[in-house]
Amino acid sequence: MPHTFISLAKACGLAALAASLLVLGLPDARAEENVWPILKEQAFGDRPIQEEDGMVVLETPSKVEDAAIVPLTVRVPPSVKGELKSLTLFIDKNPDPKVATLTFGPAAGTSGERSFSTRVRVDNFSHVRAILETADGSLHMTTKFLAAAGGCAAMQAKDPDADSADMGKVIVRTFPPALDSNPIWAAQVMIKHPNHNGMQLDINTAKFIPARFVKEMTVKRDGELVFQLDGTFSISTNPNFRFTFSRGEENDLDVVIVDTDGTVFEGQTHPKGS
Amino acid sequence: MCTPKLISRQTFLKASLALAATPLLRYVPAHAAAADVSEVAPGVFVHQGRYEVQSPENRGDMANASFVVGSEGVAVIDTSGSAVMGRELRDAIRAVTNKPIKYVINTHMHPDHVFGNAAFVQDNPTFVGHYKLARALGTRSQGYITANKQMLGEATFKGSEIILPTLSIKEPTTLDLGDRTLLLEPQPTAHTDNDLIVTDSKTNTLFLGDLLFSVHVPTIDGSIKGWLALLDEMGKRKAARVVPGHGPQTMELPEALEPEQRYLATIAADVRRQIAEGKTLAEATKTAGFSEKDAWKLFDQYHVRNVTAAFAELEWE
Ligand SMILES: [Zn+2]
């Protein structure tokens, strides 16, 4: 009886299921080289970057359990006042190191604790960086090291058939602050989307599933821009975002998402009803 | 094999009781290089895996592996976690019977249940699995190979291969072993999206694969909702005995399911409450389900990942 041996030409680190091996601490050779100078040059040229100056805080899990779905949170402490221009997230050793760039608009707020969270794939032992650009154009960076591997090739979809049935479903939620005086609201956007990175094999065709991921997301509050996000496949399957925005009149959020196929997905929430 | 230390007394007594109820017919101790197996019912043999994660010392011997001997041939149900363990299982079969090995059935995709398949290629059996098993293994094979090579060590992993099913099960299907048949039933997404339940007709023994964990903390790699729903259905079944994927060689329904049901239901309730309160995934992984910590082995290795999976599923409700 014939049987099939699989051999793949292309590898992308370890499986998510291997998370427990992380205690062994066996980074591969790529983890040794420092790619940041090149990434910095590409993204910011020769602009100076202040490091660890307290203007931006990055929270990562102390131990990564599933490299295909690693929660990251960036906070800008309340002591930082004024508008923010942009926020960029990098995972140095990922196939596409840039996770996302957010370009902020007037509805992102000018005070209070502003934050942004998402879930990412981490392909290798890597530095994770958040670079904040403030209104005066200065750049501020904070860095964490993540001992995680294998989020890229790992097929995170546990039930791909159920997921593809719901493809494109968008949920938008807002969370009013506990105190009415707080000028900052929180929100969540989630979309059912495989965010295929082109590194997962389709056994039926013996080909890699073509890359298809969320490329752009625009969030508006009462018609004013909160931020525009440019994303990559470093963001996990079923992309999930938490963020803050400044209090408005209605606090209606409108979200438009475009993927690399050019498909447009929309979601909104109207907390006061319509 | 190893005496449970971390599990609650109650769980342990239950497991012991379940064992006591099914007297062992034959114990085939490890000799030369054969895996130790016990005959838990006439012609039904089970090798019990260890409550550990892969290491060069345990050689991937973590999951239970079984075989059923009929008048015309043998069916293997899960092959342990490496080619070397698969060979030892094969040696154990050969110590019992010279009948041809006709079928190698994998209850689902996980490495500790499939990497021993390679040892049976020489027998030219039909490799059997759920109709979604091939896709699941295909998308994960490179990761499984790299990770297990690293955890077991190159030397121990040597010869281990992902071997895809040649018979895919979409509808309940019967395999004939001569004087007995095996019923294969593909399940909806639960522990994984490719779980298969195998029933030996002659002894009414159910092989549940990783739909049933005992002592070893369950791992969610499919759907917590689907798994809880399936456990309700499984509890209504009648069987002389069930063989868990991880746990003692045999247990009894419905008690065998209770600790796992409680574990999954606790996670689901905690996670749903936190989602309703607007909590984040990172927050949930610090508290949800921790009341179960002392009831399971390997809790620290798998629990946070289970909560992560449950959260990512239940937040879409
Ligand atoms: Zn399993």
Side-chain angles (χ1 to χ4, degrees):
Chain A
M1 199 127 335
H3 44 264
T4 311
F5 293 87
I6 299 185
S7 71
L8 299 182
K10 194 170 170 187
C12 179
L14 312 175
L17 252 190
S20 48
L21 72 87
L22 298 175
V23 290
L24 296 177
L26 295 168
D28 79 18
R30 271 199 300 163
E32 305 304 325
E33 36 174 299
N34 182 6
V35 295
W36 172 239
I38 301 158
L39 298 176
K40 182 201 171 281
E41 172 75 28
Q42 284 170 355
F44 303 107
D46 56 4
R47 293 167 67 186
I49 300 181
Q50 306 289 323
E51 294 191 34
E52 311 299 341
D53 63 356
M55 300 279 282
V56 57
V57 176
L58 176 61
E59 292 171 7
T60 58
S62 55
K63 183 176 164 226
V64 172
E65 299 289 349
D66 185 344
I69 177 165
V70 181
L72 297 183
T73 294
V74 179
R75 296 183 195 282
V76 178
S79 56
V80 177
K81 308 281 185 205
E83 282 185 7
L84 305 176
K85 265 193 181 158
S86 72
L87 172 69
T88 304
L89 288 169
F90 281 102
I91 299 170
D92 288 11
K93 299 294 165 64
N94 269 12
D96 186 346
K98 197 167 93 167
V99 177
T101 295
L102 287 80
T103 308
F104 295 107
T110 56
S111 64
E113 187 187 63
R114 287 163 283 180
S115 66
F116 173 79
S117 307
T118 190
R119 301 171 192 167
V120 297
R121 299 181 165 119
V122 182
D123 188 45
N124 209 309
F125 290 62
S126 177
H127 285 100
V128 181
R129 304 167 191 276
I131 298 106
L132 179 72
E133 184 182 16
T134 48
D136 62 2
S138 61
L139 298 167
H140 310 267
M141 177 166 81
T142 184
T143 306
K144 283 272 173 77
F145 188 76
L146 269 185
C152 276
M155 177 95 166
Q156 193 233 321
K158 298 189 184 305
D159 193 350
D161 293 335
D163 271 357
S164 54
D166 282 344
M167 163 82 178
K169 185 177 173 189
V170 177
I171 292 180
V172 183
R173 294 193 184 103
T174 49
F175 307 97
L179 293 172
D180 281 350
S181 58
N182 188 336
I184 290 290
W185 280 46
Q188 180 177 27
V189 174
M190 43 203 267
I191 175 169
K192 277 268 180 188
H193 193 292
N195 243 35
H196 281 309
N197 54 18
M199 294 172 189
Q200 296 152 350
L201 188 80
D202 181 341
I203 198 69
N204 296 316
T205 61
K207 286 186 179 137
F208 286 91
I209 299 164
R212 182 180 180 184
F213 55 89
V214 167
K215 191 178 69 165
E216 198 179 293
M217 177 170 82
T218 307
V219 180
K220 289 182 176 173
R221 186 267 291 138
D222 302 341
E224 278 194 306
L225 184 69
V226 179
F227 61 79
Q228 192 211 297
L229 175 146
D230 293 306
T232 68
F233 56 72
S234 284
I235 292 171
S236 303
T237 295
N238 300 334
N240 196 303
F241 309 95
R242 291 262 197 150
F243 52 87
T244 51
F245 64 92
S246 70
R247 182 181 59 216
E249 282 297 315
E250 305 295 324
N251 295 304
D252 290 350
L253 283 193
D254 284 282
V255 178
V256 179
I257 294 167
V258 186
D259 74 7
T260 46
D261 279 15
T263 309
V264 178
F265 309 91
E266 294 184 25
Q268 49 275 131
T269 181
H270 306 286
K272 289 187 182 172
S274 48
Chain B
M1 195 147 286
C2 49
T3 315
K5 284 187 196 116
L6 296 172
I7 54 164
S8 73
R9 189 178 148 72
Q10 206 186 6
T11 311
F12 182 71
L13 287 176
K14 234 171 220 174
S16 315
L17 266 178
L19 263 179
T22 43
L24 302 180
L25 302 177
R26 249 191 291 180
Y27 174 68
V28 185
H31 63 88
D36 57 335
V37 295
S38 298
E39 188 172 20
V40 300
V44 178
F45 296 80
V46 181
H47 167 76
Q48 186 182 341
R50 307 185 196 188
Y51 304 122
E52 297 175 10
V53 295
Q54 288 97 327
S55 71
E57 292 69 39
N58 66 34
R59 302 175 302 156
D61 177 15
M62 302 141 61
N64 295 346
S66 309
F67 58 93
V68 178
V69 182
S71 60
E72 288 177 8
V74 181
V76 185
I77 303 166
D78 286 344
T79 57
S80 196
S82 64
V84 61
M85 277 307 302
R87 281 196 294 275
E88 293 193 6
L89 180 65
R90 190 175 178 280
D91 287 346
I93 296 170
R94 283 296 166 245
V96 170
T97 176
N98 280 320
K99 297 207 166 75
I101 296 170
K102 290 178 72 177
Y103 300 102
V104 172
I105 304 163
N106 293 119
T107 59
H108 66 295
M109 67 187 178
H110 282 147
D112 51 332
H113 300 257
V114 305
F115 266 131
N117 282 15
F120 296 93
V121 168
Q122 59 183 298
D123 299 299
N124 211 16
T126 304
F127 287 94
V128 189
H130 189 288
Y131 75 103
K132 293 184 181 177
L133 176 65
R135 176 180 68 182
L137 281 173
T139 50
R140 292 167 175 86
S141 62
Q142 192 56 49
Y144 280 0
I145 289 166
T146 313
N148 282 272
K149 200 181 275 179
Q150 195 154 20
M151 290 187 286
L152 296 174
E154 194 100 24
T156 310
F157 185 75
K158 197 161 175 273
S160 306
E161 296 269 359
I162 295 285
I163 292 168
L164 298 181
T166 46
L167 176 62
S168 283
I169 305 298
K170 196 163 187 176
E171 302 292 339
T173 303
T174 300
L175 302 180
D176 192 2
L177 292 177
D179 59 340
R180 69 207 305 162
T181 58
L182 296 182
L183 174 64
L184 312 185
E185 298 168 277
Q187 302 300 316
T189 304
H191 170 61
T192 67
D193 76 348
N194 49 84
D195 302 313
L196 193 67
I197 293 180
V198 181
T199 305
D200 169 46
S201 62
K202 196 169 180 181
T203 63
N204 199 16
T205 303
L206 259 59
F207 300 87
L208 296 177
D210 282 1
L211 291 171
L212 176 58
F213 281 79
S214 176
V215 185
H216 181 307
V217 72
T219 62
I220 306 168
D221 205 8
S223 159
I224 189 171
K225 273 162 76 175
W227 200 348
L228 279 165
L230 184 58
L231 282 168
D232 284 343
E233 291 303 309
M234 285 159 60
K236 294 177 199 154
R237 286 179 184 243
K238 299 272 176 272
R241 66 195 66 74
V242 296
V243 178
H246 298 265
Q249 286 152 333
T250 63
M251 301 180 77
E252 290 190 356
L253 290 181
E255 310 89 84
L257 308 179
E258 285 164 12
E260 179 174 273
Q261 277 172 315
R262 188 197 61 225
Y263 175 77
L264 296 173
T266 302
I267 291 183
D270 287 1
V271 165
R272 281 190 173 114
R273 189 175 55 249
Q274 300 205 15
I275 289 168
E277 289 167 356
K279 295 260 170 53
T280 64
L281 167 64
E283 289 166 326
T285 58
K286 290 180 187 129
T287 56
F290 276 76
S291 60
E292 285 286 314
K293 187 173 167 57
D294 295 333
W296 301 96
K297 287 197 167 207
L298 302 175
F299 184 91
D300 292 345
Q301 282 80 0
Y302 296 104
H303 179 71
V304 169
R305 198 155 67 212
N306 286 338
V307 172
T308 303
F311 195 101
E313 178 184 348
L314 298 175
E315 68 188 338
W316 287 94
E317 287 183 325

